[in-house]
Amino acid sequence: MKLSWKGKYDMKKDNLIKFTKYLLDIMFYGSFVVTASLPITIKMLGAFSEKLHNHYLEGLIIYFILGIAAIMILRELRRIFKTVINKDCFVRENVVSLDKMCKWSFFIVLMSIVRCIVYVTPAILVVILVFTIAGLFSKVLSFVFEEAVGYKEENDFTI
């Protein structure tokens, strides 16, 4: 029995979806461990970084808040991913999730700017850029999904 090109494509697509789901799950649950271990981690890293050592409490508070924000973004991604697995992604819930991801991304940008008041590193400037782009991308995607949901609902009512 010979598989068609579409069959091979579907298998590759399913494998990629499974791999991405597992990766997302690892990141989600791992983020709890990373965030919870911040007091120990920051203390250990403070031995190598004078800035982190001198600003332990400020760093702990800021990184804890950033960790929570990252968990919230991962939670929304997992919600969206469930609809991908169910092959029903154009739903209002995904528009809401993308909107929340936009807000959390911009919150991370704001907290990163606050962190710059305490101390600046080149990496934080990259974080600000990445999450600004992620926030804008999430917002634009929410507009796209909102349109797609509208078309889907209109199509469902005409059948």
Side-chain angles (χ1 to χ4, degrees):
M1 181 176 172
K2 187 176 179 183
L3 285 175
S4 70
W5 178 84
K6 183 157 176 55
K8 287 181 184 177
Y9 174 75
D10 286 344
M11 273 183 21
K12 287 182 181 180
K13 186 170 70 171
D14 289 344
N15 289 338
L16 179 62
I17 289 170
K18 286 179 188 175
F19 172 77
T20 307
K21 183 209 180 301
Y22 292 133
L23 183 62
L24 194 54
D25 288 345
I26 289 167
M27 290 170 62
F28 180 70
Y29 293 113
S31 64
F32 284 97
V33 174
V34 170
T35 303
S37 67
L38 280 172
I40 297 164
T41 308
I42 292 175
K43 191 69 104 179
M44 288 171 45
L45 292 173
F48 303 102
S49 168
E50 186 179 332
K51 290 177 182 176
L52 205 51
H53 177 74
N54 293 340
H55 301 285
Y56 172 79
L57 185 58
E58 298 93 335
L60 180 62
I61 292 168
I62 290 169
Y63 286 125
F64 184 78
I65 292 169
L66 289 171
I68 297 299
I71 288 169
M72 299 308 288
I73 289 173
L74 288 168
R75 185 182 86 179
E76 295 306 323
L77 276 171
R78 290 178 79 229
R79 285 181 176 169
I80 291 171
F81 213 80
K82 285 179 186 175
T83 66
V84 171
I85 291 169
N86 294 333
K87 296 181 175 29
D88 186 27
C89 8
F90 296 112
V91 292
R92 294 260 174 235
E93 292 81 14
N94 285 352
V95 174
V96 172
S97 286
L98 286 163
D99 226 25
K100 286 179 182 179
M101 287 170 53
C102 170
K103 290 174 183 167
W104 282 111
S105 293
F106 286 130
F107 179 75
I108 288 174
V109 169
L110 181 66
M111 286 306 300
S112 296
I113 291 169
V114 168
R115 199 206 101 176
C116 286
I117 295 168
V118 178
Y119 65 96
V120 180
T121 60
I124 200 66
L125 301 176
V126 172
V127 168
I128 291 169
L129 177 64
V130 167
F131 279 96
T132 298
I133 292 168
L136 292 171
F137 187 71
S138 295
K139 191 61 179 174
V140 169
L141 266 181
S142 77
F143 295 150
V144 171
F145 268 68
E146 192 168 29
E147 284 292 314
V149 168
Y151 289 134
K152 180 180 175 264
E153 288 174 350
E154 186 179 309
N155 188 42
D156 288 348
F157 288 133
T158 58
I159 293 178

